[in-house]
Amino acid sequence: MIAAMVLVAILVPGISLILGNTLMNIALTQIAILANMEADYAQRNFKKHIDGAETFVAGCTPKLLKYTDHSSTKYHYKFVGRTEENPMSTLQYSNDNGATFGTLLENVVGIDEDTLGYRSKFVYRDKYYTDLGVSPTESEIRGVELIFYILRGESVYSYSTYAAVDQYQL
């Protein structure tokens, strides 16, 4: 009886440590999977709409993307930093000339300034895939790269996708 109690006293801390670490790994894996699902949705939405772009509109910056499609609908994508009325930094999307915006991603890192080397932005590329800088002319833009970092838990996940305008894809 005493031997059994000593054996249980020895094994219980080890088993609880193994069980605790296993549950923690499951939780962290679930957070990473959910972050990937959210990022995949944002990337697919972005790529689907940019693939249908006809022309870019003047005023594109690393935080704001404006373009029209073949039906002359004006689209906007913008990064919005934290404010009093918006407590989370977000990536927002509008398909009605910027009248209303919907949230595409929340907890985006590095919008207003570099955060530990993370900088979420739109990068405009020409036909040679060269970066056009912070204020490109709309006639030079042939494609757009969306780079964003999202914060989930204590981890930052990075994502990037590139989309070219229809007439320049092949």
Side-chain angles (χ1 to χ4, degrees):
M1 180 78 151
I2 293 176
M5 290 188 336
V6 169
L7 184 61
V8 167
I10 292 171
L11 293 177
V12 166
I15 291 171
S16 66
L17 183 64
I18 291 170
L19 185 61
N21 286 339
T22 302
L23 293 175
M24 182 61 78
N25 285 337
I26 290 170
L28 292 176
T29 302
Q30 183 67 19
I31 290 171
I33 289 171
L34 291 175
N36 284 337
M37 288 172 56
E38 290 177 40
D40 182 56
Y41 172 76
Q43 287 174 319
R44 282 186 290 117
N45 182 298
F46 174 76
K47 196 159 180 65
K48 175 180 78 172
H49 289 104
I50 289 289
D51 282 347
E54 183 177 28
T55 58
F56 289 91
V57 179
C60 292
T61 66
K63 289 172 59 173
L64 177 65
L65 167 64
K66 296 190 260 182
Y67 62 92
T68 59
D69 67 4
H70 297 284
S71 66
S72 298
T73 303
K74 197 177 283 185
Y75 293 88
H76 291 75
Y77 279 87
K78 68 178 180 177
F79 287 106
V80 178
R82 288 185 172 91
T83 60
E84 285 186 22
E85 45 298 324
N86 184 23
M88 277 188 252
S89 50
T90 58
L91 173 59
Q92 296 181 346
Y93 164 77
S94 171
N95 62 356
D96 59 0
N97 198 16
T100 58
F101 281 91
T103 299
L104 198 55
L105 274 176
E106 295 179 336
N107 289 331
V108 180
V109 176
I111 292 176
D112 294 321
E113 58 186 38
D114 283 346
T115 306
L116 301 173
Y118 302 116
R119 185 72 174 156
S120 296
K121 60 186 172 183
F122 296 106
V123 178
Y124 302 98
R125 307 276 183 192
D126 65 6
K127 63 182 176 181
Y128 303 111
Y129 196 70
T130 330
D131 186 351
L132 294 172
V134 294
S135 56
T137 61
E138 55 273 10
S139 61
E140 294 177 312
I141 302 172
R142 299 293 174 94
V144 180
E145 184 176 8
L146 169 63
I147 301 170
F148 61 94
Y149 301 89
I150 54 177
L151 178 67
R152 295 297 181 263
E154 295 178 359
S155 300
V156 176
Y157 299 92
S158 65
Y159 300 93
S160 174
T161 189
Y162 177 79
V165 178
D166 272 347
Q167 64 190 24
Y168 303 115
Q169 283 193 7
L170 295 176

